Amino acid sequence: MQIVRSFRRRPLTRLILAVGGGYATTSLIAMMLAGVFPPPASEAVPGGALVGLALYPVLIICGFMVKELRHLLGGIAFIAILLGLIVMGCLQS
Amino acid sequence: MTAPSAKASGGLRQSMTWLHTWVGLWFCWLLFAVFLTGTLAVFEEPITHWMTPEHHAEEASATTPSAQSHLDYAKRLTVARDYLAANHAESRVWSIWPGDRISGGALVAWARDERTGEFGRHQLDPASGRPLAEDDEEAQARETLGGHHFVDFHYELHAGTLGLWTVAIATMAMLVTLISGVIIHKRIFKDFFTFRVGKGQRSWLDAHNAVAVLTLPFQLMIAYTGLAFYPTIYIPAANLQGAISTGAADERTWTGTPAPLPDLGPFGRRASDLLAQPIHAVMIQNPGDSSMRIRVFGSEEPDAGQRRISRSLGIVTFDGANGQILRVQRPGEGDGPATTVGSVMDSLHTVDFGGWPVKWLYFLSGLAGTAMMGTGAILFMVKRRDRHGNEFGRATARVYRLIEALNIAAIAGLGIASIAFLWSNRLIPAHLVGREAWELRAFFGLWLMAFAHAFLRPVGRAWIEQLAFTAVLCLGLPLLNLLTTGDHLGAQIVRGDWESAGVELVAIAFGFGAAWAGRTLHRKAQDTPPRRRRHRPTLAIEGTK
């Protein structure tokens, strides 16, 4: 709860979490997209990275839109689980 | 920055305002420099042309019809092959540029040094195959970075990987600031048509809004395509899925079984027929081995950029041992969607299409974007002159002073440094060893001095003095050129050298702009009562109060 209160009060904490959390999420998304895209990898890797670069500023903005830290963390977890399921589904098919 | 904490916990617009203000402030000076130099980089070639006056006559003659002789590609390829076989037989990669099809030009061969992995450049006499002395062509030309200085600076600050990352972070901050700027605007399009002159802070805000809305799509595009140059460097996690080697399918392992070096002329002719393009370059992998691959690259027509944004050269890959065609990539065909998208992004960012009209459009949009950053930086301080924000506690006054100095140095100081770079090209002796580095020292030295001046002088005086100095340097550039090379604007226009004339005309335009801004500030300062000025020494740029 201390972290949550700190997050609400201190914009710098919010900034660091939005930038760091956003980058981690972006990397995760780019990695999963690169894995999901059909071969060749020379197409999939830059494709995933390009999508990631477009999402990153939006994720930072989202980090400032949410009021509660738990909402942000929940969003990141939701994205991770969703993408994980997609990747698993693609691999099985 | 204690005050915004309350705001950050407020509504969406408040948190976006905080994000826009502070991220914008801390990155605006760097982004201003990147945007201004990037805007100048649009005209990299004309600037380089102006900075190498020794080449003017040579370049003019290259475009005359008599120089458009048909090249004997087959002979040139044979000459280069023989030279490389005799001198670089151990190299695993050879590249041959048979010459520019318009002007003929030199025959150039490259071979990779197997110890260092670097390529060595060898310029050959097309008739004899004798290597030309390195300085033969450039003996008369001065060493200069030319317009490439602005290109390098705007994406890596002349600081390699560190600079690349710094600019990338600033670019991402720009994207965040643009998006948050849109969110905080209640009446974005109404504001675009609103400009209230002489209203102090309101005028600066109107100017900031107008140029931002006008060029918003351009700025989003240019920022994103800038990042898209090196996507896997910025997000290396994407590459964790597997090691990538572009073109790996075409590479073969050295077998050690010798194979005769073929005559390259027929390969060039076949590729040229298949692609319907003249030859641009020939690359030979594993020369003299049974695994030899020969890749012939086509050359686009000079006006290809007028017709399409996504361009790629045609490539024909041959098995060097038996002459069999392995792969034909026709002009305009990419390897796949991501490569094609990447190619379009590159072209969009580097203005590699549309010719001069689009270059001018980019130049004007870039200037508007630069103005947006400049007005944003000034607006921050104009807001706080009347109403102290106390964001930094007891250090607020000192931080404000630092911000004022950075505003002056980033906006007026960079103008001085940029035009001083052109002056240094004429003032530094033409054959001084390492003069490229001296030109850079002049650029950074003047910029540093501008910052020191902005910090030491009263803010109002610093603005006026730096703008006046910028105006003098810009307006004096044609005169300097006349005194040092004997060339002048009239002669440039008469002989149709619009690249040189364009540089000097744009410098004159900037000079008048800086002079007008300095004069306006000077008048406002004169109109302000002395007592008021004594109590508010940081007024100057506000000017309208």
Side-chain angles (χ1 to χ4, degrees):
Chain A
M1 287 308 291
Q2 180 60 37
I3 296 171
V4 174
R5 280 198 294 274
S6 166
F7 178 74
R8 289 188 62 180
R9 279 205 302 266
R10 294 181 184 170
L12 279 179
T13 310
R14 180 184 281 257
L15 184 68
I16 291 164
L17 283 172
V19 170
Y23 188 75
T25 311
T26 300
S27 297
L28 188 67
I29 292 169
M31 192 165 67
M32 289 180 175
L33 286 176
V36 169
F37 282 154
S42 60
E43 287 292 304
V45 171
L50 283 172
V51 174
L53 282 173
L55 286 176
Y56 186 33
V58 178
L59 289 172
I60 293 175
I61 295 284
C62 289
F64 275 81
M65 281 181 170
V66 293
K67 285 186 179 176
E68 302 287 345
L69 176 60
R70 61 174 180 268
H71 293 164
L72 182 60
L73 293 173
I76 292 171
F78 175 74
I79 292 169
I81 292 167
L82 186 67
L83 288 173
L85 289 172
I86 292 169
V87 171
M88 284 172 64
C90 289
L91 290 175
Q92 284 178 357
S93 64
Chain B
M1 289 185 289
T2 52
S5 59
K7 289 180 182 174
S9 61
L12 171 68
R13 186 158 285 125
Q14 281 88 346
S15 61
M16 288 298 114
T17 302
W18 183 91
L19 188 67
H20 185 81
T21 303
W22 290 103
V23 174
L25 176 72
W26 296 124
F27 284 97
C28 70
W29 303 297
L30 177 59
L31 284 171
F32 184 92
V34 167
F35 235 73
L36 181 62
T37 51
T39 301
L40 294 173
V42 169
F43 292 125
E44 176 195 356
E45 286 160 17
I47 293 171
T48 303
H49 174 79
W50 186 89
M51 293 178 81
T52 49
E54 298 82 3
H55 282 164
H56 289 180
E58 181 188 315
E59 288 180 18
S61 67
T63 57
T64 58
S66 61
Q68 294 181 9
S69 56
H70 178 70
L71 293 180
D72 186 348
Y73 285 109
K75 185 184 175 192
R76 285 179 169 238
L77 291 173
T78 304
V79 163
R81 182 205 63 178
D82 292 347
Y83 171 79
L84 290 167
N87 297 281
H88 296 280
E90 78 293 348
S91 178
R92 299 287 171 90
V93 180
W94 295 344
S95 294
I96 300 168
W97 273 262
D100 180 77
R101 69 185 182 285
I102 300 295
S103 60
L107 167 64
V108 179
W110 294 62
R112 190 170 69 192
D113 185 327
E114 291 306 311
R115 289 164 302 172
T116 63
E118 293 176 355
F119 277 86
R121 181 178 189 267
H122 309 278
Q123 200 162 293
L124 308 176
D125 179 344
S128 66
R130 182 184 63 85
L132 299 171
E134 197 168 308
D135 296 336
D136 277 2
E137 187 197 19
E138 296 175 1
Q140 302 303 316
R142 62 191 65 202
E143 249 184 65
T144 179
L145 275 175
H148 200 67
H149 155 65
F150 296 110
V151 177
D152 269 359
F153 183 88
H154 101 282
Y155 83 93
E156 62 162 20
L157 311 174
H158 291 294
T161 307
L162 178 66
L164 193 71
W165 271 97
T166 306
V167 173
I169 291 167
T171 309
M172 191 53 77
M174 179 180 163
L175 284 172
V176 169
T177 313
L178 286 172
I179 297 169
S180 57
V182 172
I183 294 171
I184 62 178
H185 260 86
K186 287 179 187 169
R187 303 169 303 169
I188 192 163
F189 290 105
K190 190 177 177 187
D191 281 355
F192 173 61
F193 295 104
T194 307
F195 187 73
R196 285 154 284 196
V197 184
K199 301 286 183 190
Q201 177 185 326
R202 174 54 63 182
S203 299
W204 285 105
L205 183 60
D206 286 345
H208 182 67
N209 289 341
V211 285
V213 175
L214 176 70
T215 58
L216 183 65
F218 172 79
Q219 291 183 59
L220 287 169
M221 179 277 291
I222 210 76
Y224 181 70
T225 54
L227 289 169
F229 259 82
Y230 306 106
T232 51
I233 290 180
Y234 303 137
I235 307 186
N239 213 3
L240 291 179
Q241 292 293 330
I244 301 303
S245 174
T246 306
D250 290 332
E251 289 183 7
R252 288 274 298 271
T253 311
W254 182 273
T255 62
T257 308
L261 280 172
D263 182 3
L264 296 178
F267 286 91
R269 270 194 297 277
R270 285 167 68 193
S272 185
D273 291 343
L274 280 167
L275 301 174
Q277 287 183 328
I279 304 164
H280 177 61
V282 176
M283 179 187 279
I284 304 151
Q285 292 167 333
N286 297 345
D289 189 75
S290 61
S291 61
M292 181 167 37
R293 289 280 181 273
I294 298 172
R295 303 178 86 191
V296 182
F297 295 78
S299 176
E300 291 182 316
E301 294 303 317
D303 64 343
Q306 304 279 354
R307 298 193 302 268
R308 50 186 298 150
I309 295 178
S310 168
R311 290 189 289 159
S312 65
L313 298 174
I315 306 171
V316 181
T317 305
F318 297 95
D319 186 322
N322 58 25
Q324 186 187 347
I325 294 172
L326 298 175
R327 187 173 178 220
V328 179
Q329 181 181 311
R330 298 193 186 280
E333 285 180 3
D335 288 330
T339 308
T340 306
V341 168
S343 163
V344 171
M345 299 272 182
D346 289 358
S347 291
L348 278 173
H349 192 87
T350 57
V351 212
D352 200 15
F353 65 99
W356 291 109
V358 177
K359 279 183 190 287
W360 276 104
L361 186 64
Y362 267 57
F363 183 74
L364 295 174
S365 301
L367 285 182
T370 310
M372 182 201 70
M373 287 156 201
T375 52
I378 291 168
L379 178 63
F380 179 88
M381 279 316 302
V382 169
K383 265 185 178 177
R384 282 155 182 81
R385 281 177 194 142
D386 288 333
R387 185 168 45 84
H388 226 265
N390 201 34
E391 295 95 335
F392 305 96
R394 283 185 296 178
T396 300
R398 287 198 300 277
V399 176
Y400 280 0
R401 183 66 183 88
L402 178 67
I403 292 171
E404 292 273 25
L406 284 168
N407 279 351
I408 299 166
I411 297 169
L414 181 62
I416 292 172
S418 298
I419 193 69
F421 179 71
L422 299 186
W423 272 68
S424 70
N425 178 263
R426 292 296 192 263
L427 295 179
I428 295 169
H431 299 294
L432 181 73
V433 176
R435 71 184 303 287
E436 278 183 6
W438 281 105
E439 287 180 355
L440 270 187
R441 283 179 198 130
F443 175 82
F444 285 110
L446 263 289
W447 202 5
L448 195 63
M449 285 166 67
F451 176 72
H453 173 265
F455 206 74
L456 295 172
R457 296 283 288 157
V459 172
R461 295 304 309 166
W463 271 112
I464 294 168
E465 286 161 6
Q466 292 206 15
L467 286 169
F469 191 43
T470 307
V472 168
L473 290 179
C474 287
L475 294 172
L477 192 71
L479 182 64
L480 174 75
N481 191 31
L482 174 66
L483 294 175
T484 52
T485 68
D487 195 15
H488 60 88
L489 200 50
Q492 291 160 2
I493 292 170
V494 167
R495 70 169 184 267
D497 183 2
W498 286 103
E499 289 193 321
S500 297
V503 169
E504 297 195 2
L505 286 170
V506 169
I508 290 170
F510 275 122
F512 278 120
W516 172 80
R519 189 161 171 266
T520 306
L521 287 179
H522 182 67
R523 278 186 171 178
K524 297 290 181 188
Q526 294 291 319
D527 294 344
T528 308
R531 226 177 109 190
R532 188 180 165 96
R533 269 189 284 149
R534 194 163 54 244
H535 285 292
R536 299 177 61 207
T538 59
L539 192 60
I541 193 69
E542 185 173 4
T544 49
K545 284 267 177 185

